Amino acid sequence: MCGIVAGIAQRNVVPILLEGLRRLEYRGYDSAGLAVIESSVIKRKREVGKVSSLEALIKEEPISGNIGIAHTRWATHGKPSTANAHPHMSGLKVAVVHNGIIENYAQLKELQLERGYEFTSQTDTEVIVHGIYEELKTENSFISAVLKATNKLEGAYALAIICQQHCDTLVVCRKGSPLVIGVGIGEYFVASDVAAILPVTQRFIFLEDGDIAEIKLDAVKIIDAKGNCVTREIKQTSLSLDAVDKGNYRHYMLKEIHEQPDAIARTIEGKIINGRVSEQALGHSASEIFDYIKSIQIIACGTSFHAGLVARYWFEGFAGVPCNVEIASEYRYRSPVLSKDTLIITISQSGETADTIAALGEARRLGAKYAITICNVLESSLGRASDLVIQTNAGPEIGVASTKAFVTQLTVLLLLVIVIGRRFKLPKNLEAKLSSELANLPAMVRNVLALDGEIKIMAEQFSEKHHALFLGRGAHYPIAMEGALKLKEISYIHAEAYPAGELKHGPLALVDSDMPVVTVAPNNSLLEKLKSNIQEVSARGGQLIVFMDEQLVPNDDVNLKIIKVPSVEDEVSAIIYAVPLQLLAYYVAVLKGTDVDQPRNFS
Ligand code: M6R
């Protein structure tokens, strides 16, 4: 994803901007660039590849200045290239860096071409900088010119702009994409992510949607979406300089579980525009790929495989898209049959899982034309071997047990269900509903995290146990599988998951008073069937721990222990119910005294 860093100071800002870009590298990018005003002239450097390449270029051809803007780009419109890298300029007088997507850029471009503007890139960003240049012809105030130009934009953006005519002023604005102003002593810095400028300040102004700010060395003026001059509070961040710090949490795993609302928010950031999922925001080749394909084959391992299994229910159930899910380590050894128009989707937190990489190679060999990956690390091997990478943006996952990677994978999969489903049988009203539920996901996950204390107490039921069963139906069956995997991986309790309807076909024989049976029971059309399965367990003295919708009335069965989960819409409930199961596994492992973040047998 793209990243912005900018600054105005009495010192040379270039090293600070470069350090900021380095701190945004975890978000993934394909090119980087920087522009400063040096002796009243805008000087720009851009490079494809790593920030270190840009740094080397600047070392060779030094530039410096007290005001500047910088960017890491992740291609959406136009391939990764120096010409497409930001900053973009107009008439060598204005330079802009941009995060987001301008939806009406084609119309604006046509008008600007008629006016004689030249385009040197394939991006949607050049129309912004030409628009500002045009307004500056008649407008003396820099901020007013930017305001007039941005009023013509449709879509999502965060911008930082410098202008030769106004070399003491940095203008920044945001609509639909985040931007913060870091307040230093006699200097200001701007970034799309607080982490980028933590080395220079811990005091931040969080711009609100629609804000535009004029930043000079001695003051910041902010105008809100209604055109009013406003004062925004300066907040001290509690974030530490070290992004992989455990903070106040005892384990990384618990920290990562609690980071899930923010991780999901980052994953959907800039992808839902005016209530609609933008496929352009998924990458510049997204539409071409989705137009071509007729079915889907998901390939992954472990937790990522479980995410794929959930998605199969969504792809087929919501949108009628034929979908298969394969364990990567089996794929190359079983002679799968594949057609050219089957889209391969690999899912991986690391992007480096050998089985998944090999399976992708096999799928290519079998003739798959397109492969995309859902991955937390853009520059990974899977990323490089795929036609499109959709990054989960979960941030570094240090705990071996995957948590925030899983929910963000599910989030991306739901985005894909919408954009691919549009070409199949996804009803319009369901698309709108799913998009709105996606936007509400961070808040829903925050609500369910409030169960933390209750689940910690419930975990005591497992302290003496050696085995557990997990049950679910529909899309909650893979959630039960994921719950069982989490429990066995970090607490070393043997756990197995079954679709609840399968109990009577064998596993019921295992049930006795020593066997906890964890059941996922959302309020959906399968609930009545699930209740019968719960009865089957209870009748055999099994101890049931049921994660149940808060609106349902539990019966007074003594074998039943209930955790009431906040009510959610059924379409996204699989994502929500994954969270309490993670907490359960975590607290059981803590009680057992295992090495939660690095369980045995994993290096
Ligand atoms: O990096 P990947 O997602 O490709 O890793 C695949 C599995 O090894 C991984 O999901 C594993 O199952 C989890 N860490 C378990 O919590």
Side-chain angles (χ1 to χ4, degrees):
M1 294 295 285
C2 303
I4 288 178
V5 193
I8 177 165
Q10 275 162 328
R11 50 181 165 158
N12 176 18
V13 295
V14 170
I16 298 163
L17 300 189
L18 284 171
E19 171 60 18
L21 293 185
R22 262 192 301 272
R23 297 178 69 84
L24 292 178
E25 281 187 308
Y26 78 91
R27 294 167 63 91
Y29 64 102
D30 49 55
S31 50
L34 184 153
V36 285
I37 303 183
E38 184 183 273
S39 312
S40 307
V41 175
I42 296 183
K43 297 273 176 70
R44 170 178 66 169
K45 298 286 171 199
R46 298 179 293 172
E47 199 58 290
V48 175
K50 294 281 168 204
V51 173
S52 55
S53 309
L54 176 68
E55 204 174 357
L57 177 69
I58 292 175
K59 213 168 176 184
E60 240 172 67
E61 304 164 11
I63 52 169
S64 66
N66 301 337
I67 178 166
I69 56 179
H71 192 259
T72 45
R73 173 175 187 256
W74 181 68
T76 56
H77 296 69
K79 61 179 195 267
S81 68
T82 312
N84 286 335
H86 299 214
H88 287 284
M89 292 179 69
S90 186
L92 302 179
K93 297 234 166 86
V94 188
V96 67
V97 287
H98 165 218
N99 283 2
I101 287 190
I102 304 304
E103 291 182 324
N104 61 338
Y105 86 99
Q107 296 94 300
L108 293 172
K109 185 170 176 177
E110 216 175 292
L111 287 173
Q112 292 175 352
L113 282 169
E114 279 168 22
R115 288 199 174 117
Y117 284 96
E118 268 184 42
F119 284 78
T120 56
S121 78
Q122 299 155 302
T123 67
D124 55 340
T125 301
E126 260 190 295
V127 296
I128 306 174
V129 71
H130 290 324
I132 297 170
Y133 184 96
E134 180 66 22
E135 297 300 341
L136 278 166
K137 287 181 183 167
T138 51
E139 181 57 70
N140 287 330
S141 148
F142 185 11
I143 187 170
S144 303
V146 175
L147 202 52
K148 282 186 180 166
T150 51
N151 278 341
K152 295 179 183 149
L153 303 178
E154 285 167 22
Y157 52 83
L159 306 174
I161 311 131
I162 53 174
C163 165
Q164 231 167 256
Q165 257 170 277
H166 302 273
C167 53
D168 62 345
T169 311
L170 175 66
V171 172
V172 301
C173 57
R174 63 156 292 197
K175 190 184 158 205
S177 286
L179 209 59
V180 295
I181 302 176
V183 182
I185 301 169
E187 57 186 18
Y188 292 96
F189 293 92
V190 174
S192 48
D193 184 329
V194 164
I197 46 178
L198 277 177
V200 280
T201 186
Q202 293 212 304
R203 299 167 70 226
F204 292 95
I205 297 170
F206 292 87
L207 290 178
E208 290 187 10
D209 215 39
D211 281 356
I212 178 165
E214 176 191 80
I215 309 173
K216 293 181 186 275
L217 269 183
D218 56 354
V220 175
K221 174 173 137 189
I222 301 174
I223 298 173
D224 72 5
K226 292 184 186 142
N228 302 315
C229 240
V230 289
T231 310
R232 301 259 179 251
E233 194 190 341
I234 299 177
K235 294 185 178 153
Q236 185 87 23
T237 178
S238 56
L239 271 182
S240 96
L241 249 180
D242 186 357
V244 293
D245 195 60
K246 261 200 298 236
N248 292 327
Y249 291 96
R250 185 165 164 197
H251 295 101
Y252 283 111
M253 181 179 174
L254 188 60
K255 175 175 178 251
E256 287 159 8
I257 290 173
H258 281 271
E259 278 173 356
Q260 292 181 114
D262 290 342
I264 294 172
R266 280 198 302 273
T267 301
I268 55 177
E269 174 195 311
K271 300 200 176 75
I272 305 174
I273 299 171
N274 296 330
R276 191 165 197 271
V277 176
S278 155
E279 57 191 59
Q280 195 82 59
L282 300 180
H284 68 286
S285 50
S287 304
E288 178 192 323
I289 295 173
F290 303 151
D291 282 348
Y292 181 81
I293 57 110
K294 299 267 183 298
S295 62
I296 289 172
Q297 173 104 71
I298 297 177
I299 307 175
C301 297
T303 293
S304 301
F305 170 69
H306 295 156
L309 288 177
V310 173
R312 177 170 57 188
Y313 286 89
W314 294 341
F315 275 117
E316 297 199 333
F318 298 161
V321 186
C323 178
N324 264 324
V325 190
E326 296 271 351
I327 290 188
S329 55
E330 286 291 308
Y331 192 75
R332 347 172 228 164
Y333 308 112
R334 69 158 202 90
S335 310
V337 177
L338 199 65
S339 66
K340 208 172 157 215
D341 50 19
T342 296
L343 172 66
I344 301 296
I345 303 182
T346 57
I347 309 174
S348 174
Q349 189 285 129
S350 59
E352 301 297 343
T353 301
D355 286 323
T356 313
I357 297 169
L360 172 58
E362 176 66 3
R364 292 280 200 200
R365 199 186 63 76
L366 292 169
K369 179 167 162 129
Y370 287 119
I372 69 177
T373 189
I374 297 171
C375 183
N376 204 24
V377 187
L378 203 60
E379 288 300 309
S380 60
S381 305
L382 271 177
R384 290 195 303 274
S386 303
D387 301 295
L388 177 69
V389 187
I390 306 180
Q391 201 186 0
T392 39
N393 263 321
E397 195 173 61
I398 312 290
V400 163
S402 221
T403 52
K404 59 180 181 171
F406 182 61
V407 297
T408 52
Q409 286 166 352
L410 289 173
T411 305
V412 171
L413 284 159
L414 201 48
L415 287 165
L416 284 178
V417 168
I418 293 173
V419 295
I420 296 176
R422 275 175 199 153
R423 287 146 168 99
F424 289 77
K425 292 182 190 147
L426 180 67
K428 282 240 159 0
N429 56 350
L430 182 54
E431 171 174 347
K433 190 162 187 258
L434 292 176
S435 307
S436 122
E437 285 166 21
L438 265 172
N440 286 333
L441 259 184
M444 291 190 245
V445 173
R446 208 162 275 126
N447 278 346
V448 81
L449 284 169
L451 295 174
D452 184 300
E454 206 178 321
I455 294 172
K456 188 175 179 179
I457 296 168
M458 185 65 86
E460 287 163 18
Q461 305 287 320
F462 288 76
S463 57
E464 302 301 322
K465 305 292 184 206
H466 299 285
H467 306 276
L469 274 181
F470 281 68
L471 304 179
R473 297 196 79 127
H476 294 86
Y477 164 48
I479 294 301
M481 294 169 81
E482 176 58 11
L485 175 63
K486 288 287 92 91
L487 188 72
K488 64 186 138 194
E489 184 181 24
I490 59 169
S491 77
Y492 317 149
I493 291 176
H494 168 231
E496 281 194 70
Y498 276 94
E502 273 294 291
L503 267 186
K504 57 183 171 297
H505 300 293
L508 207 49
L510 288 171
V511 173
D512 62 15
S513 60
D514 211 27
M515 172 72 89
V517 181
V518 179
T519 308
V520 186
N523 190 4
N524 64 17
S525 58
L526 294 169
L527 183 69
E528 285 313 311
K529 297 213 168 294
L530 192 68
K531 281 183 181 166
S532 317
N533 306 132
I534 289 174
Q535 286 310 321
E536 289 167 355
V537 173
S538 179
R540 281 145 187 97
Q543 279 182 25
L544 282 143
I545 291 157
V546 185
F547 289 88
M548 186 171 119
D549 187 292
E550 64 186 359
Q551 285 178 1
L552 299 173
V553 184
N555 66 27
D556 49 10
D557 190 329
V558 285
N559 292 327
L560 226 59
K561 300 212 171 351
I562 307 280
I563 298 263
K564 290 193 167 190
V565 177
S567 288
V568 286
E569 298 293 335
D570 188 37
E571 292 82 5
V572 291
S573 62
I575 304 178
I576 302 303
Y577 278 77
V579 177
L581 299 188
Q582 297 166 345
L583 285 168
L584 180 67
Y586 171 77
Y587 283 116
V588 173
V590 169
L591 281 174
K592 290 258 177 193
T594 63
D595 186 349
V596 173
D597 286 328
Q598 283 176 317
R600 69 185 180 201
N601 304 337
F602 290 94
S603 54

Coordinates of all heavy atoms in Angstrom, one line a residue, residues 284-317:
H284 N -3.9 -2.8 -10.0 CA -4.2 -2.3 -11.4 C -4.7 -3.4 -12.3 O -5.4 -3.2 -13.3 CB -3.1 -1.5 -12.0 CG -1.9 -2.2 -12.3 ND1 -1.0 -2.7 -11.3 CD2 -1.3 -2.6 -13.4 CE1 0.0 -3.3 -11.9 NE2 -0.2 -3.3 -13.1
S285 N -4.3 -4.7 -12.0 CA -4.7 -5.8 -12.9 C -6.0 -6.5 -12.4 O -6.4 -7.5 -13.0 CB -3.5 -6.8 -13.0 OG -3.1 -7.1 -11.7
A286 N -6.6 -6.0 -11.3 CA -7.7 -6.7 -10.7 C -8.8 -7.0 -11.7 O -9.3 -8.1 -11.9 CB -8.2 -6.0 -9.5
S287 N -9.3 -5.9 -12.4 CA -10.5 -6.0 -13.2 C -10.2 -7.0 -14.4 O -11.1 -7.9 -14.7 CB -10.9 -4.7 -13.8 OG -11.1 -3.8 -12.8
E288 N -9.0 -6.9 -15.0 CA -8.7 -7.8 -16.1 C -8.8 -9.3 -15.7 O -9.3 -10.1 -16.3 CB -7.3 -7.4 -16.6 CG -6.7 -8.3 -17.7 CD -5.2 -8.0 -17.8 OE1 -4.8 -6.9 -17.7 OE2 -4.5 -9.0 -18.1
I289 N -8.2 -9.5 -14.5 CA -8.2 -10.9 -14.0 C -9.6 -11.4 -13.7 O -10.0 -12.5 -14.1 CB -7.3 -11.0 -12.7 CG1 -5.9 -10.7 -13.0 CG2 -7.5 -12.4 -12.1 CD1 -5.0 -10.6 -11.8
F290 N -10.4 -10.6 -13.0 CA -11.7 -11.0 -12.6 C -12.7 -11.2 -13.8 O -13.6 -12.0 -13.7 CB -12.3 -10.0 -11.5 CG -11.5 -9.9 -10.3 CD1 -11.5 -8.7 -9.6 CD2 -10.6 -10.9 -9.9 CE1 -10.6 -8.6 -8.4 CE2 -9.8 -10.8 -8.8 CZ -9.8 -9.6 -8.0
D291 N -12.4 -10.4 -14.8 CA -13.3 -10.5 -16.0 C -13.0 -11.8 -16.7 O -13.9 -12.3 -17.4 CB -12.9 -9.4 -17.0 CG -13.5 -8.0 -16.7 OD1 -14.4 -8.0 -15.8 OD2 -13.1 -7.0 -17.2
Y292 N -11.8 -12.4 -16.5 CA -11.4 -13.5 -17.3 C -11.9 -14.9 -16.7 O -12.2 -15.8 -17.4 CB -9.9 -13.5 -17.4 CG -9.3 -14.7 -18.2 CD1 -9.3 -14.6 -19.6 CD2 -8.8 -15.8 -17.6 CE1 -8.8 -15.7 -20.4 CE2 -8.3 -16.9 -18.3 CZ -8.3 -16.8 -19.7 OH -7.8 -17.9 -20.4
I293 N -11.9 -14.9 -15.3 CA -12.0 -16.2 -14.7 C -13.4 -16.7 -14.5 O -14.4 -15.9 -14.5 CB -11.3 -16.1 -13.3 CG1 -12.0 -15.0 -12.4 CG2 -9.8 -15.9 -13.4 CD1 -12.7 -15.5 -11.3
K294 N -13.5 -18.0 -14.5 CA -14.9 -18.7 -14.4 C -15.0 -19.5 -13.1 O -16.1 -19.9 -12.7 CB -15.0 -19.7 -15.5 CG -14.9 -19.1 -16.9 CD -16.3 -18.7 -17.4 CE -16.4 -18.2 -18.8 NZ -15.6 -17.0 -19.0
S295 N -13.9 -19.7 -12.4 CA -14.0 -20.5 -11.1 C -12.7 -20.2 -10.3 O -11.8 -19.5 -10.8 CB -14.1 -22.0 -11.4 OG -13.0 -22.4 -12.0
I296 N -12.8 -20.7 -9.1 CA -11.7 -20.3 -8.1 C -11.1 -21.6 -7.5 O -11.9 -22.5 -7.1 CB -12.2 -19.4 -7.0 CG1 -12.5 -18.0 -7.6 CG2 -11.2 -19.3 -5.9 CD1 -13.2 -17.1 -6.7
Q297 N -9.8 -21.6 -7.4 CA -9.1 -22.7 -6.6 C -8.3 -22.0 -5.6 O -7.3 -21.3 -5.9 CB -8.2 -23.4 -7.6 CG -7.3 -24.4 -7.0 CD -7.8 -25.8 -7.2 OE1 -7.8 -26.3 -8.4 NE2 -8.4 -26.4 -6.2
I298 N -8.6 -22.2 -4.3 CA -7.8 -21.6 -3.2 C -6.8 -22.6 -2.7 O -7.1 -23.8 -2.5 CB -8.7 -21.2 -2.1 CG1 -9.7 -20.1 -2.5 CG2 -7.9 -20.6 -0.9 CD1 -10.7 -19.6 -1.5
I299 N -5.6 -22.2 -2.5 CA -4.5 -23.1 -2.0 C -3.8 -22.5 -0.8 O -3.4 -21.3 -0.9 CB -3.5 -23.4 -3.1 CG1 -4.2 -23.9 -4.4 CG2 -2.5 -24.4 -2.7 CD1 -3.2 -24.0 -5.6
A300 N -3.7 -23.2 0.3 CA -3.0 -22.6 1.4 C -2.7 -23.7 2.5 O -3.1 -24.9 2.3 CB -3.9 -21.6 2.1
C301 N -2.1 -23.4 3.5 CA -1.8 -24.3 4.6 C -2.3 -23.7 6.0 O -2.4 -22.5 6.2 CB -0.2 -24.4 4.8 SG 0.6 -25.0 3.4
G302 N -2.6 -24.7 6.9 CA -2.9 -24.3 8.3 C -4.0 -23.3 8.4 O -5.1 -23.4 7.8
T303 N -3.7 -22.3 9.2 CA -4.7 -21.2 9.4 C -5.2 -20.6 8.1 O -6.4 -20.3 7.9 CB -4.1 -20.2 10.4 OG1 -3.9 -20.8 11.6 CG2 -5.0 -19.0 10.5
S304 N -4.2 -20.4 7.2 CA -4.6 -19.7 5.9 C -5.5 -20.7 5.1 O -6.5 -20.2 4.5 CB -3.3 -19.5 5.1 OG -2.5 -18.6 5.9
F305 N -5.3 -22.0 5.3 CA -6.3 -22.9 4.6 C -7.7 -22.8 5.2 O -8.7 -22.8 4.5 CB -5.7 -24.4 4.8 CG -6.6 -25.5 4.4 CD1 -6.9 -25.7 3.1 CD2 -7.2 -26.3 5.4 CE1 -7.8 -26.7 2.7 CE2 -8.0 -27.3 5.1 CZ -8.3 -27.6 3.7
H306 N -7.7 -22.6 6.5 CA -9.1 -22.5 7.2 C -9.8 -21.2 6.6 O -11.0 -21.2 6.5 CB -8.9 -22.4 8.7 CG -8.4 -23.7 9.3 ND1 -7.8 -23.7 10.5 CD2 -8.4 -24.9 8.8 CE1 -7.4 -25.0 10.8 NE2 -7.8 -25.7 9.7
A307 N -9.0 -20.1 6.4 CA -9.6 -18.9 5.9 C -10.2 -19.3 4.5 O -11.3 -18.8 4.2 CB -8.5 -17.8 5.8
G308 N -9.5 -20.0 3.7 CA -10.0 -20.4 2.4 C -11.2 -21.2 2.5 O -12.2 -21.1 1.7
L309 N -11.3 -22.2 3.5 CA -12.5 -23.0 3.7 C -13.7 -22.1 4.0 O -14.8 -22.4 3.5 CB -12.3 -24.0 4.8 CG -11.3 -25.2 4.5 CD1 -11.2 -26.0 5.7 CD2 -11.9 -26.0 3.3
V310 N -13.5 -21.1 4.8 CA -14.7 -20.2 5.1 C -15.1 -19.5 3.8 O -16.3 -19.4 3.5 CB -14.2 -19.1 6.2 CG1 -15.4 -18.1 6.4 CG2 -13.9 -19.8 7.5
A311 N -14.1 -19.1 3.1 CA -14.4 -18.3 1.8 C -15.2 -19.1 0.8 O -16.0 -18.6 0.1 CB -13.1 -17.8 1.2
R312 N -15.0 -20.4 0.8 CA -15.7 -21.3 -0.1 C -17.2 -21.1 0.1 O -18.0 -21.0 -0.8 CB -15.3 -22.7 0.0 CG -16.1 -23.6 -1.0 CD -15.6 -25.0 -1.1 NE -15.5 -25.7 0.2 CZ -15.0 -26.9 0.4 NH1 -14.4 -27.5 -0.6 NH2 -14.9 -27.4 1.5
Y313 N -17.6 -21.1 1.4 CA -19.0 -21.0 1.7 C -19.5 -19.6 1.2 O -20.7 -19.5 0.7 CB -19.3 -21.0 3.3 CG -19.2 -22.4 3.9 CD1 -17.9 -22.9 4.3 CD2 -20.3 -23.2 3.9 CE1 -17.8 -24.2 4.8 CE2 -20.2 -24.5 4.5 CZ -18.9 -25.0 4.9 OH -18.8 -26.2 5.4
W314 N -18.7 -18.6 1.3 CA -19.1 -17.3 0.8 C -19.2 -17.2 -0.7 O -20.2 -16.7 -1.3 CB -18.1 -16.2 1.3 CG -18.1 -16.0 2.8 CD1 -19.0 -16.4 3.7 CD2 -17.0 -15.4 3.5 NE1 -18.6 -16.0 5.0 CE2 -17.4 -15.4 4.9 CE3 -15.8 -14.8 3.2 CZ2 -16.6 -14.8 5.9 CZ3 -15.0 -14.2 4.1 CH2 -15.4 -14.2 5.5
F315 N -18.1 -17.7 -1.4 CA -18.1 -17.6 -2.8 C -19.2 -18.3 -3.4 O -19.9 -17.8 -4.3 CB -16.8 -18.1 -3.4 CG -15.6 -17.2 -3.4 CD1 -14.5 -17.4 -2.7 CD2 -15.7 -16.0 -4.2 CE1 -13.4 -16.5 -2.7 CE2 -14.6 -15.1 -4.2 CZ -13.5 -15.4 -3.5
E316 N -19.5 -19.5 -3.0 CA -20.5 -20.3 -3.6 C -21.9 -19.9 -3.1 O -22.8 -19.7 -3.8 CB -20.3 -21.8 -3.3 CG -19.0 -22.3 -4.0 CD -18.8 -23.7 -4.2 OE1 -19.4 -24.5 -3.4 OE2 -18.0 -24.1 -5.1
G317 N -22.0 -19.7 -1.7 CA -23.3 -19.4 -1.1 C -23.8 -18.0 -1.5 O -25.0 -17.8 -1.7

